[in-house]
Amino acid sequence: MAREFTSVGVVGLGTMGAGIVEVFARNGIDVVAVEVSEAALDRGRANLTGSTDRAVARGKLAEADRDALLARVDFQVGLDALHSVDLVVEAVPERLDLKRRIFAELDRVCRPEAILATNTSSLSVTEVSVATGRPQQVVGIHFFNPAPVMKLVEVVRTVVTAADVVADVEALCARLGKVGVTIGDRAGFIANALLFGYLNHAVAMFESRYASREDIDAAMKLGGGLPMGPLALLDLIGLDTAYEILDTMYRRGGRDRRHAPVPLVRQMVTAGLLGRKSGQGFYTYEKPGSSKVVPDESTPQERPAAGDGARPVARVGVVGSGATAAGLVEVFAGAGYDVVQVAPGAEPLDGLAEVDLVVEAVAEDLGVKKELLASLDGVCKPGVVLATTTSSLPVIDIAMATGRPADVVGLHFSGPVPARPLVEIVQTIRTGEEATATARAVCATLGRTAVVCGDRAGFVVDALLLPYLNDAVKMLEAGYATVDDIDHAMKLGCGYPTGPFELLDAVGLDVALASQRALYRELRDPGFAPAPLLEHLVTAGYLGREAGRGFRDHTAR
């Protein structure tokens, strides 16, 4: 039988700590909420009352339930107030020396049988635990922000945490209505280890001026299906917090370059550009603490309705006979364009002689695409924009098969084409301004959001998404967590619509592997090398949902 926790203590009443207090009190547990001073205690009380008042205003909490919740909380200054609780959860800033001092004091104050827990998101639970004389009773209980809303709790056991302690905490998570995922003491645990590599990569993309902040964030929301763009999310988390988490994971996690903080992050922290909390980060906000973004010197200017130098397009040619080509025909025709579709090899290309834009959607094979573009060069009239829908091949290689590389762009529609609102416009170093402007204007007519990027492997979406998926495979391969636990962590802890393995099975493991290989060939960074497990599954024919088996067995569904 799991022990019954009747009273708990929470140390640190910032946004996270106050949220944890609310979670316990909402579920009928008495809470001793502790801060270091009266002023800090007042701020913590305000955090809690503000959160519960907002819940009442939104109809998520009845006034009587709010009053009962607040009545269960005993606000106190100093750790001595925790002498009789069953469990303490520490939620102070991510500084190992601070946490160790607190745990040493908790060891002195708390009853011998009390469980001591840390809400750390990146520090070693083991290093915290050895500051006490009871490391077997120390565990990580990592809530996600906002704690009352997010369903995931990572339960982190050390090599000496007692099995009954873990079982008691798992039962408590269930009582709180949370999904507990139990894992070992590894840098970043599950969610942060996967999330922050992706966020760090997005900063590197922005730092190199590969794409604008708006385009990076729009690409991942609209093309990746994520609830927030990476740069906006970093502003929400706080650049200082992100830097500490990345630096800790880099030092503790084998010095993986995916977690080495991009220099721009440190520079922004040094300059006080911490995100929403300071009023400025990657974006500028109405005031410190506000979520309202206001224009600044980096905000893009509205483009003229005429298309800013775009060539007129009335007729569109689509080359291809597969699902992508069919989707393109549907989208262009639905937007009022006259569309000519040609199936390569089965029909002559002469029907494209009078079109203003050609979009090819043939096999993802460089030789096939180059041969097609060379043929189009001899058929199409001057000034026609030639677009490739490639998702992984170098656009410049395709463009140079023609005598008009200035007229060649990439138009990567996120699939399925009719359903997804994003188009990545890929400029090569030879693409002319008129061709890019024409692509922008056409995308606007289609009702699509266009993001402009350079000709690099993966463009924006796949360059950020695929390494995250690859990292998840490496985590599974290392035996750190299961397929289900990793998917739960990213859906329930980060609000992602699908877990990484659900997504890989849907996309196709062979497709993901081919794109990851292209990224690795271009970047030559060991952190981007395809996970051996991914390669083995593809070799075995376990390609995902359509094949009946990938990371999960789909034959019985």
Side-chain angles (χ1 to χ4, degrees):
M1 289 285 292
R3 80 171 76 181
E4 182 74 14
F5 294 96
T6 58
S7 65
V8 302
V10 176
V11 181
L13 303 179
T15 301
M16 179 57 74
I20 295 171
V21 170
E22 182 176 342
V23 169
F24 286 124
R26 270 180 182 253
N27 288 275
I29 300 174
D30 291 335
V31 185
V32 180
V34 172
E35 261 293 359
V36 69
S37 67
E38 288 290 349
L41 197 68
D42 288 341
R43 289 193 294 271
R45 186 183 287 107
N47 284 335
L48 179 60
T49 56
S51 174
T52 53
D53 286 348
R54 286 191 296 273
V56 170
R58 294 169 183 163
K60 303 292 186 181
L61 187 67
E63 288 189 19
D65 291 335
R66 175 199 58 194
D67 296 343
L69 183 162
L70 295 175
R72 295 187 189 104
V73 183
D74 179 16
F75 291 94
Q76 295 287 340
V77 173
L79 299 177
D80 286 341
L82 302 171
H83 60 88
S84 62
V85 299
D86 303 315
L87 165 72
V88 177
V89 180
E90 163 274 310
V92 302
E94 287 286 272
R95 285 176 32 214
L96 182 60
D97 59 337
L98 174 61
K99 292 180 186 287
R100 284 172 58 89
R101 286 200 305 271
I102 287 173
F103 271 73
E105 186 64 12
L106 290 173
D107 191 32
R108 180 189 68 79
V109 168
C110 295
R111 294 185 298 130
E113 63 271 23
I115 294 175
L116 308 181
T118 174
N119 184 59
T120 182
S121 60
S122 60
L123 298 173
S124 167
V125 178
T126 304
E127 290 186 43
V128 173
S129 74
V130 295
T132 76
R134 56 176 101 175
Q136 72 281 358
Q137 289 171 240
V138 177
V139 66
I141 305 181
H142 180 217
F143 290 83
F144 287 76
N145 192 30
V149 175
M150 304 304 285
K151 289 293 185 182
L152 182 73
V153 175
E154 290 176 317
V155 179
V156 186
R157 62 174 184 269
T158 74
V159 291
V160 297
T161 305
D164 63 325
V165 169
V166 174
D168 290 343
V169 171
E170 290 173 336
L172 175 62
C173 289
R175 177 182 171 186
L176 298 175
K178 302 294 187 182
V179 175
V181 172
T182 301
I183 47 179
D185 185 19
R186 167 175 158 172
F189 314 136
I190 296 176
N192 280 351
L194 297 180
L195 176 66
F196 277 86
Y198 151 73
L199 296 177
N200 201 39
H201 189 190
V203 178
M205 186 177 281
F206 174 71
E207 183 183 49
S208 68
R209 300 185 180 182
Y210 176 68
S212 70
R213 63 189 183 185
E214 288 85 1
D215 279 358
I216 292 171
D217 280 353
M220 299 315 295
K221 288 174 63 180
L222 302 177
L226 302 183
M228 290 185 73
L231 303 180
L233 179 56
L234 280 164
D235 275 359
L236 174 62
I237 293 168
L239 275 294
D240 51 344
T241 301
Y243 180 84
E244 290 297 331
I245 291 172
L246 283 166
D247 188 55
T248 299
M249 288 196 298
Y250 176 69
R251 289 185 285 104
R252 286 189 58 216
R255 300 191 178 273
D256 184 345
R257 285 188 61 190
R258 293 268 289 147
H259 293 142
V262 172
L264 179 60
V265 178
R266 183 190 61 79
Q267 293 163 14
M268 292 176 72
V269 171
T270 303
L273 305 177
L274 308 182
R276 289 189 187 182
K277 68 176 75 173
S278 67
Q280 188 174 358
F282 289 102
Y283 296 90
T284 300
Y285 299 87
E286 189 173 45
K287 60 183 179 180
S290 171
S291 62
K292 183 179 179 181
V293 175
V294 296
D296 58 23
E297 64 276 5
S298 298
T299 302
Q301 300 297 313
E302 289 293 329
R303 293 181 173 272
D308 197 18
R311 299 168 186 166
V313 174
R315 304 189 74 202
V316 176
V318 175
V319 183
S321 56
T324 299
L328 290 169
V329 170
E330 178 183 341
V331 167
F332 280 111
Y337 290 103
D338 292 332
V339 182
V340 178
Q341 183 178 9
V342 174
E347 302 172 79
L349 298 176
D350 295 349
L352 303 174
E354 297 302 320
V355 301
D356 307 305
L357 165 69
V358 178
V359 184
E360 70 78 12
V362 299
E364 192 74 347
D365 179 285
L366 184 59
V368 171
K369 290 183 185 291
K370 289 175 67 173
E371 182 179 353
L372 173 61
L373 267 288
S375 299
L376 290 173
D377 197 22
V379 170
C380 296
K381 63 187 180 184
V384 173
V385 174
L386 306 177
T388 172
T389 61
T390 182
S391 61
S392 60
L393 299 173
V395 177
I396 188 63
D397 287 9
I398 299 169
M400 294 308 293
T402 77
R404 53 175 101 178
D407 293 331
V408 179
V409 298
L411 279 182
H412 180 224
F413 290 77
S414 296
V417 174
R420 289 294 180 91
L422 181 78
V423 181
E424 291 172 303
I425 298 176
V426 186
Q427 304 179 112
T428 77
I429 56 174
R430 294 288 298 271
T431 302
E433 291 184 6
E434 285 190 0
T436 301
T438 302
R440 279 186 178 275
V442 168
C443 289
T445 302
L446 297 177
R448 294 300 197 266
T449 297
V451 299
V452 178
C453 59
D455 184 21
R456 282 175 24 183
F459 313 138
V460 177
V461 177
D462 283 353
L464 294 178
L465 186 62
L466 286 167
Y468 147 73
L469 298 176
N470 196 52
D471 287 347
V473 179
K474 290 179 181 178
M475 183 178 284
L476 175 68
E477 189 173 43
Y480 180 65
T482 67
V483 166
D484 287 342
D485 282 352
I486 294 171
D487 275 358
H488 281 322
M490 300 314 294
K491 289 195 295 184
L492 302 178
C494 299
Y496 282 19
T498 57
F501 297 110
E502 289 177 305
L503 185 55
L504 280 163
D505 276 3
V507 169
L509 276 62
D510 52 339
V511 174
L513 177 60
S515 297
Q516 189 65 37
R517 282 173 171 165
L519 281 170
Y520 180 55
R521 281 195 303 269
E522 184 167 289
L523 299 174
R524 304 292 181 176
D525 185 328
F528 291 90
L533 176 59
L534 182 61
E535 295 184 314
H536 295 167
L537 289 170
V538 171
T539 301
Y542 293 169
L543 306 182
R545 186 182 298 159
E546 289 191 4
R549 182 163 180 180
F551 287 98
R552 291 184 172 89
D553 186 347
H554 300 276
T555 55
R557 301 184 184 189

